Amino acid sequence: MKRVLTAAALLPVGLYAILAAPLAVFYLVLAAFATLCFWEFASIASAAGYPISRPIGVLTGLLLVAAPGEGFLVILIAALAAVVWGLQSSDLAGALPRAAILSFGVL
């Protein structure tokens, strides 16, 4: 029920941003929605036993919004950062799955 209420509240904002807002407002709303979506994805991944770095994911998503033409480079750097972040934990066996999940979440 919580997700339905959230969608109902955000639907008018999204429609306004797509149909009538200036381009700058569109990009701000896009960045906010992308951040909310990644945050939810990270919560689901953590609940499944794969905690991922939210700051790396959010920063990567915002970079993709800001520089859409450089998407491949941004994803590559994020994937490498996720692997480095994962290798710093004591659970090395989970480093690669966490990096893959973070990269998928950004996409």
Side-chain angles (χ1 to χ4, degrees), residues 26-88:
F26 171 76
Y27 279 117
L28 287 174
V29 171
L30 177 64
F33 281 15
T35 300
L36 289 172
C37 289
F38 183 79
W39 206 265
E40 179 68 18
F41 180 82
S43 298
I44 292 168
S46 292
Y50 294 100
I52 57 176
S53 174
R54 289 181 183 190
I56 291 174
V58 169
L59 180 63
T60 304
L62 293 177
L63 285 173
L64 283 173
V65 170
E70 302 296 327
F72 176 75
L73 182 62
V74 171
I75 293 294
L76 178 64
I77 291 170
L80 291 174
V83 169
V84 169
W85 171 75
L87 289 175
Q88 294 177 0

